[in-house]
Amino acid sequence: MLKEGNRLTTLSHWARRGDQIASCVDVGGSCWFRQQAALLQQALSDRRYGSVVEIGAYPGYALHWLCRTIGLRGTAIEYVPSQARSLARAFPSVEVLEGDFLSPATFASGRTWDVVFSLGLVEHWSDLHVPLARHVEMTAPGGTCIVGIPLHDGLYGRIMRALDPALHAQHGCYSVAALRVAFVEAAGSGWKIETCRAIEGMGFWNCGLGEWVGRRGPTARAFGHKALGAWHRTVTRLPVPSALRPNAILVARRA
């Protein structure tokens, strides 16, 4: 039996995201993914890879972008049944596996992919080693593991704690350094970390501010969403110190 560790979230937490997917969304140039897109295209385009899996794939936009841009066969692993069904409807060319990626029942024992990918997933464990070790197991020899997390160890964590303490409690407040150390310890020898750094300009999409705005009255909500949208379209293009970058990304290659 695989180690599950202490999960900070529940199935009901993830189900609250809903299950609607607009299949026409192209995230390659979006404010929240454009820097990751450029980095991943550079890291993967020269590799003769055939397969990619995204863990916690809903709503599937990043996985679809990877499949289309790099030319990979996609697999989505999704914990929430209704979201798994929506992924299958929106992206019929993608294999969808419904279930917990830590469970041996979700996919065949020993199965691996050339690219193992997750964004905003592993920080929902109190011990990073647990989900990272599973990422490592799932990566084929010569493959690449990509892990993105929100950086809640500084400003963004303080914002979330002030606005929504319950949401804050569902996130491990890990730093770039903590992500790197945990991956090295979980992976062991035979891996090379190609990049592990903070990324993007100053953005507020994963610190609870959007949820807080969504709970305001209609006028304040409409104004707040427009203001956040304008900020993200403009300010996130600007260079900022690492302490103000909202996310971290790790790219590691297996020998």
Side-chain angles (χ1 to χ4, degrees):
M1 180 67 68
L2 291 168
K3 182 179 178 184
E4 290 195 5
N6 182 19
R7 300 169 189 263
L8 302 177
T9 54
T10 62
L11 183 62
S12 63
H13 165 81
W14 294 114
R16 284 194 292 272
R17 295 181 296 179
D19 57 13
Q20 300 303 304
I21 297 174
S23 58
C24 60
V25 173
D26 182 2
V27 298
S30 69
C31 56
W32 66 270
F33 191 66
R34 58 179 169 243
Q35 290 191 20
Q36 288 95 325
L39 186 152
L40 297 182
Q41 192 163 9
Q42 181 180 14
L44 300 176
S45 59
D46 64 339
R47 295 283 164 166
R48 295 182 178 178
Y49 287 155
S51 61
V52 57
V53 60
E54 183 177 7
I55 307 167
Y58 180 85
Y61 304 140
L63 177 63
H64 180 63
W65 177 87
L66 269 176
C67 292
R68 180 173 49 80
T69 304
I70 310 298
L72 302 172
R73 298 183 309 277
T75 299
I77 298 179
E78 183 48 58
Y79 193 34
V80 180
S82 64
Q83 293 170 359
R85 292 191 294 270
S86 292
L87 284 166
R89 287 193 299 268
F91 306 107
S93 63
V94 170
E95 175 192 30
V96 179
L97 303 177
E98 178 189 322
D100 181 356
F101 82 109
L102 291 177
S103 170
T106 301
F107 55 88
S109 176
R111 184 177 179 184
T112 59
W113 288 263
D114 294 325
V115 181
V116 175
F117 172 57
S118 73
L119 291 176
L121 175 79
V122 302
E123 74 277 5
H124 296 289
W125 272 260
S126 62
D127 181 355
L128 272 174
H129 297 78
V130 173
L132 290 177
R134 185 60 160 159
H135 284 60
V136 167
E137 289 178 1
M138 294 166 63
T139 308
T144 294
C145 183
I146 300 160
V147 180
I149 64 168
L151 290 173
H152 292 145
D153 61 314
L155 171 67
Y156 298 105
R158 292 193 294 272
I159 292 171
M160 180 181 284
R161 186 170 59 244
L163 295 177
D164 195 335
L167 185 62
H168 182 264
Q170 294 173 328
H171 293 75
C173 295
Y174 301 113
S175 64
V176 175
L179 176 62
R180 175 186 283 273
V181 168
F183 187 88
V184 169
E185 292 174 349
S189 60
W191 283 83
K192 178 185 177 183
I193 294 180
E194 298 191 336
T195 188
C196 185
R197 62 183 176 87
I199 197 165
E200 300 166 34
M202 190 172 183
F204 294 101
W205 35 68
N206 209 352
C207 66
L209 185 56
E211 292 86 345
W212 182 84
V213 168
R215 295 194 294 269
R216 304 307 96 190
T219 302
R221 183 167 63 246
F223 175 79
H225 283 152
K226 287 183 180 296
L228 279 175
W231 178 283
H232 288 149
R233 288 191 300 272
T234 55
V235 177
T236 54
R237 293 183 179 274
L238 304 176
V240 296
S242 293
L244 296 181
R245 295 175 185 167
N247 292 306
I249 191 162
L250 176 145
V251 178
R253 191 96 65 190
R254 187 170 203 162

